[in-house]
């Protein structure tokens, strides 16, 4: 499957010096990304990367910015969300799926290079998706849950039926 927002950068164009690459999704790409990630809309999506070749692979660092509209998981009302996420990736040759490596806090996420290019558009799209709340709640969600009879964690007393039974047995002993 071809990514909805593909911006391949050929490996032979990436050297050891920093190179800045700015990309922006067009209307059709944004609509396809909204469908893929279950969003109401992707209103704006752009990224700026600094790429360079290192001994370990191709480093791509930068930021993904955008504006999307999610649906509240409870009420389905539209929720505008601003995206402003840092991204730091290391594209490497070979299969990375079987490597289990303990990563330090400053380690880069590793992505396998496929073919003769790295896809910065797909990297930005995945960064956007990871930045989203998987269970977004709007301002009316709590009221809708309460109206449906769902109680909040602060109201729940999970042991109260057991406690009542225990208290009744203790009183019966007296």
């Amino acid at each position: 499957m071809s990514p909805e927002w593909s911006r391949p950068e050929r490996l032979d164009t990436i050297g050891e010096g920093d190179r800045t690459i700015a990309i922006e999704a067009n209307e059709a790409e944004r609509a396809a990304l909204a469908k893929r990630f279950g969003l109401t809309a992707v209103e704006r999506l752009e990224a700026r990367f600094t790429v360079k070749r290192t001994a370990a692979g191709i480093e791509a660092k930068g930021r993904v910015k955008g504006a999307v509209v999610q649906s509240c998981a409870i009420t389905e009302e539209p929720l505008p969300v601003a995206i402003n996420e840092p991204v730091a990736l290391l594209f490497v040759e070979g299969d990375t799926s079987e490597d289990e490596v303990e990563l330090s806090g400053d380690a880069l996420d590793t992505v396998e290079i496929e073919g003769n290019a790295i896809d910065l558009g797909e990297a930005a799209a995945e960064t956007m998706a990871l930045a989203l709340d998987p269970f977004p709640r709007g301002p009316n969600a709590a009221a809708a849950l309460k109206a449906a009879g769902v109680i909040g964690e602060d109201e729940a007393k999970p042991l109260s039926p057991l406690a009542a039974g225990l208290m009744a047995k203790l009183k019966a002993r007296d």
Side-chain angles (χ1 to χ4, degrees):
M1 180 177 116
S2 175
E4 300 84 354
W5 185 27
S6 184
R7 293 296 187 277
E9 195 63 34
R10 288 187 8 213
L11 297 177
D12 61 359
T13 66
I14 302 170
E16 292 179 9
D18 287 353
R19 191 167 113 223
T20 301
I21 300 168
I23 59 175
E24 187 171 349
N26 65 36
E27 186 177 347
E29 291 164 334
R30 292 190 316 269
L33 288 168
K35 183 177 179 181
R36 173 180 169 189
F37 294 117
L39 301 169
T40 302
V42 177
E43 297 173 340
R44 181 176 56 81
L45 188 58
E46 59 193 44
R48 185 175 203 84
F49 292 95
T50 299
V51 297
K52 69 178 177 181
R53 185 177 300 277
T54 68
I58 306 291
E59 283 186 9
K61 295 180 181 179
R63 187 159 291 277
V64 176
K65 295 181 179 182
V68 304
V69 179
Q70 287 186 279
S71 292
C72 172
I74 307 302
T75 65
E76 296 185 2
E77 65 190 314
L79 301 172
V81 178
I83 305 293
N84 188 357
E85 284 294 309
V87 59
L89 302 170
L90 178 64
F91 291 88
V92 297
E93 301 275 350
D95 186 7
T96 61
S97 63
E98 300 206 11
D99 295 341
E100 279 198 36
V101 178
E102 186 94 14
L103 296 177
S104 64
D106 61 346
L108 305 178
D109 287 333
T110 305
V111 180
E112 182 180 348
I113 296 173
E114 296 179 10
N116 62 352
I118 59 172
D119 194 340
L120 297 177
E122 179 61 14
E126 290 176 6
T127 299
M128 175 205 68
L130 290 171
L132 297 172
D133 183 343
F135 195 72
R137 290 187 179 198
N140 300 320
L145 287 170
K146 189 169 187 127
V150 177
I151 61 171
E153 286 181 22
D154 55 331
E155 300 170 302
K157 295 178 177 61
L159 297 179
S160 60
L162 295 174
L166 181 59
M167 291 301 287
K169 287 185 179 192
L170 289 174
K171 285 184 183 182
R173 282 186 173 181
D174 292 337

